[in-house]
Amino acid sequence: MTICLGLEGTAHSFGAGIVSSEGLVLSNVWDMLRPDEGGIHPREASQHHAYLGPLLIRQSIDDAGISPKQIDIIAFSQGPGLGPCLRTTATMARSLSLHLGVPLIGVNHCVAHIEIGSLESGFNDPVTIYVSGGNSQVIAFAGGRYRTFGETLDIAIGNMLDVFGRHVGMRFPAGPKVEKLAKMGSTYHTLPYSVKGMDISYSGMLTSARRLFDEGLPLDDICYSIQETAFGMLAEVAERAIAHTKKNEVLLTGGVARNNRLTEILQGVADRHGARFHRVSPPLAGDQGAMIAWTGILQYGVGDTLEISSSGVLPKWRTDEQDIGWKE
Amino acid sequence: MRLEGAHIAIGAESIITKVALWDRSFVLKTRPSKPYLIPAIDSSLRASRTSRECKGLNVARSLGVPTPAVHAIDLNDYSILMDYIPGTPLKQVASTLGSTTLGNLCYRFGRIIAKLHRGGMVHGDPTTSNLLITSNEKTWIIDFGLSEMNATVEMKGVDLHLIKRALETSHWDMQENMLSRTIEGYVDELGKEAEPVLERMDAIRERGRYH
Ligand SMILES: Nc1ncnc2c1ncn2[C@@H]1O[C@H](COP(=O)(O)OP(=O)(O)O)[C@@H](O)[C@H]1O
Ligand SMILES: [Mg+2]
């Protein structure tokens, strides 16, 4: 059995998780920086990681009930993400690898979301809808790589909800509050619905939604309209990807996967195509270390390790640039 | 429209039926309802895409781009009657073609998109499923439901970005050749006007994430 410690730190969360080669999550702890004003500040987030990282790593080892000597591999989120956050996380991973004398593995954050979701669901080959504060993508495996079939052309869905929330005085993250109010809304106000090929755009509907609020329309109706429009767009591109790839598994992951209305809509899309559906459970859907650890184990199995000298971070690492040697 | 025929394609977006009338073949394209959208969004999308498609097919034709002629439109059931094109989508035949033939078809694809752009229009879903190749290697373009007029550099850049994306996900082992020949056709047709659009295509790819 191989034991891997995975460190995640691509954006505002830092996480440490320990997973065994049998697919058991032995521990998984994280902390998220909650910005009070404005979006996330890369430098503040990296300071957060530097400050809390060692404590969280210690806690993950204690929670797993192992001694540091039992760790066989160190994996870290090498990209994509915010440069300062990635560098802080990579530094911790490198020193752990040197100190323990174990191999170092660089994991692609998006690939990790898919792999931990596949582990939890038992899916082999899903169309993945990955929705979070920083990402909105529809990804599927084709020709030896995970390929992005569609993504947002401007802002991510979680970011759109947070920016709207801030405009109307909600606390960060605004997603749960928008969902709650949307349940009480019933009147649909038209918002720009923007699908281009399999890509989507949320900035136009964000601007219009803010205007509706400034005009004094009821907030619950606006939240309802935002959800139906934004999720409808996502469902449509997901459906196109399913029809296009003819795959029969649909995986929903990322922080926004918590939303029940989005889940219901995507479950409906999957049913329409006779596909199985799985929503990744909240502890494994957000940014955390277990997904990095598990993907580290998969990469280790095919000899995909890094030399310290070539372990530089990859802020713009694309999903389809990672070879997926463990899948045929 | 109530017309009998055989389904030739059932996509995410539409049902395509081949119908015989007056000894000729036509295609009836109908946009069914999407149950996961609320009715207000669903019906407005079906209506706007049906009319965009008609308009797009006609405007493209007037710009010298081969498209099926539209004969009738029914906004009650969101259907369009158009010519049947006896061809195969490029997506299906690409892997069976030699790289020169494939490159030449892509070159023509690039010129077609450039002609639309010069006419102030974007296609909106420029994939290799929407390019039909007939036996004489003539290229036809279809599926204008997401097309838009009064195109800006941004909109044209998105169109090219979508081509790149479609090649990446459907033709990964041939994408370099296909993309470079498509761009070549685009640039040959548009000349200097192509530059800002190509730059925008690259910029668009970098967006959509934190960094
Ligand atoms: N006019 C036509 N002549 C021949 N085949 C067509 C025609 N229109 C559509 N098809 C076939 O149906 C498929 C789907 O049509 P399309 O208009 O692209 O619909 P969708 O919006 O669902 O993609 C095409 O890929 C093509 O094979
Ligand atoms: Mg089509």
Side-chain angles (χ1 to χ4, degrees):
Chain A
M1 190 176 68
T2 312
I3 289 184
C4 180
L5 166 64
L7 305 185
E8 156 64 33
T10 54
H12 52 358
S13 289
F14 184 87
I18 297 178
V19 177
S20 75
S21 52
E22 284 153 358
L24 280 175
V25 177
L26 304 176
S27 67
N28 197 19
V29 292
W30 66 88
D31 189 81
M32 179 168 95
L33 174 72
R34 287 161 188 264
D36 338 296
E37 278 284 313
I40 54 169
H41 303 288
R43 194 139 316 121
E44 271 174 38
S46 72
Q47 281 159 5
H48 163 269
H49 300 355
Y51 181 67
L52 283 175
L55 299 170
L56 289 165
I57 291 167
R58 180 79 248 172
Q59 197 191 330
S60 73
I61 294 169
D62 292 347
D63 283 6
I66 59 168
S67 90
K69 287 199 179 66
Q70 287 175 270
I71 296 171
D72 301 302
I73 331 167
I74 302 290
F76 72 104
S77 54
Q78 199 178 2
L82 302 166
C85 300
L86 293 172
R87 284 190 287 275
T88 304
T89 308
T91 304
M92 286 186 259
R94 284 183 206 116
S95 35
L96 280 167
S97 155
L98 284 172
H99 181 76
L100 296 170
V102 298
L104 182 67
I105 299 198
V107 172
N108 181 297
H109 175 90
C110 301
V111 170
H113 271 293
I114 303 170
E115 291 298 350
I116 197 76
S118 298
L119 175 69
E120 188 187 70
S121 59
F123 286 178
N124 287 318
D125 190 17
V127 168
T128 301
I129 294 102
Y130 166 34
V131 279
S132 67
N135 286 279
S136 307
Q137 297 190 42
V138 177
I139 312 168
F141 189 72
R145 302 280 169 103
Y146 284 116
R147 299 182 192 271
T148 304
F149 280 73
E151 72 185 318
T152 175
L153 289 164
D154 38 53
I155 56 173
I157 188 163
N159 192 15
M160 183 272 291
L161 294 171
D162 290 337
V163 173
F164 174 76
R166 199 157 55 235
H167 183 74
V168 304
M170 291 174 188
R171 297 191 50 183
F172 175 89
K177 183 80 184 169
V178 170
E179 177 171 19
K180 210 166 151 201
L181 288 176
K183 275 207 201 89
M184 295 182 282
S186 55
T187 305
Y188 178 74
H189 297 286
T190 305
L191 292 172
Y193 183 104
S194 179
V195 166
K196 295 166 197 278
M198 283 193 230
D199 283 352
I200 50 194
S201 153
Y202 285 128
S203 64
M205 62 162 290
L206 174 60
T207 309
S208 299
R210 289 163 66 147
R211 193 175 309 126
L212 292 182
F213 177 79
D214 295 342
E215 284 165 7
L217 290 171
L219 189 53
D220 49 6
D221 286 340
I222 304 175
C223 290
Y224 169 73
S225 306
I226 288 177
Q227 286 209 151
E228 294 306 319
T229 310
F231 299 163
M233 284 156 60
L234 207 49
E236 193 184 350
V237 296
E239 182 168 42
R240 283 170 168 240
I242 297 164
H244 184 92
T245 60
K246 303 194 168 61
K247 297 199 191 278
N248 54 19
E249 294 164 340
V250 177
L251 189 67
L252 172 61
T253 193
V256 185
R258 282 196 181 83
N259 187 293
N260 290 326
R261 176 62 183 143
L262 176 60
T263 304
E264 178 183 71
I265 291 178
L266 288 173
Q267 170 85 62
V269 171
D271 288 348
R272 234 159 94 84
H273 290 265
R276 295 202 292 149
F277 175 81
H278 180 79
R279 154 162 72 168
V280 180
S281 64
L284 294 180
D287 291 356
Q288 29 68 36
M291 68 178 193
I292 303 296
W294 172 239
T295 311
I297 283 175
L298 296 173
Q299 287 179 228
Y300 183 67
V302 295
D304 185 357
T305 58
L306 286 175
E307 292 303 320
I308 299 279
S309 56
S310 57
S311 64
V313 301
L314 304 166
K316 299 199 168 185
W317 196 5
R318 291 158 37 82
T319 312
D320 66 7
E321 284 165 351
Q322 168 67 41
D323 232 323
I324 312 296
W326 56 89
K327 253 179 124 104
E328 60 298 330
Chain B
M1 272 170 268
R2 292 174 152 276
L3 293 166
E4 299 286 313
H7 290 344
I8 55 173
I10 302 176
E13 175 75 6
S14 65
I15 296 173
I16 307 287
T17 316
K18 186 176 173 184
V19 292
L21 284 173
W22 319 297
D23 284 337
R24 279 183 57 190
S25 293
F26 296 85
V27 150
L28 183 68
K29 176 168 180 173
T30 309
R31 289 188 155 75
S33 161
K34 294 194 206 324
Y36 52 84
L37 296 174
I38 57 170
I41 299 180
D42 189 40
S43 52
S44 98
L45 283 184
R46 292 167 80 193
S48 72
R49 289 182 180 172
T50 304
S51 55
R52 267 167 206 268
E53 174 132 43
C54 278
K55 187 160 181 210
L57 285 165
N58 287 331
V59 173
R61 202 151 232 264
S62 72
L63 294 169
V65 170
T67 60
V70 174
H71 299 286
I73 167 171
D74 186 343
L75 282 175
N76 292 305
D77 68 351
Y78 311 102
S79 62
I80 301 171
L81 186 71
M82 66 180 96
D83 277 340
Y84 171 77
I85 309 298
T88 319
L90 178 59
K91 183 178 176 217
Q92 273 177 41
V93 293
S95 60
T96 67
L97 301 171
S99 76
T100 314
T101 313
L102 179 59
N104 291 342
L105 291 173
C106 290
Y107 180 84
R108 255 177 273 155
F109 183 25
R111 291 190 76 147
I112 284 175
I113 297 298
K115 282 181 187 165
L116 299 179
H117 286 189
R118 183 184 304 115
M121 146 181 211
V122 289
H123 182 275
D125 192 18
T127 65
T128 51
S129 310
N130 292 332
L131 203 69
L132 299 183
I133 315 297
T134 41
S135 55
N136 53 358
E137 281 179 19
K138 188 168 170 178
T139 46
W140 300 73
I141 188 160
I142 56 165
D143 201 0
F144 281 80
L146 296 177
S147 67
E148 288 179 86
M149 306 295 157
N150 304 316
T152 58
V153 168
E154 170 72 18
M155 290 156 75
K156 295 174 188 174
V158 168
D159 238 14
L160 294 191
H161 161 79
L162 294 175
I163 292 179
K164 197 166 175 178
R165 153 100 4 114
L167 297 179
E168 253 165 38
T169 52
S170 302
H171 307 278
W172 53 84
D173 42 353
M174 307 175 273
Q175 55 171 304
E176 282 87 16
N177 173 36
M178 291 179 77
L179 182 66
S180 67
R181 294 287 280 145
T182 307
I183 299 288
E184 199 184 319
Y186 187 80
V187 171
D188 280 359
E189 181 70 36
L190 269 189
K192 266 194 120 42
E193 273 177 76
E195 272 170 40
V197 185
L198 291 171
E199 276 168 29
R200 192 63 70 98
M201 167 181 79
D202 291 331
I204 287 164
R205 209 174 155 77
E206 298 294 313
R207 289 190 214 143
R209 303 177 197 183
Y210 275 136
H211 35 87

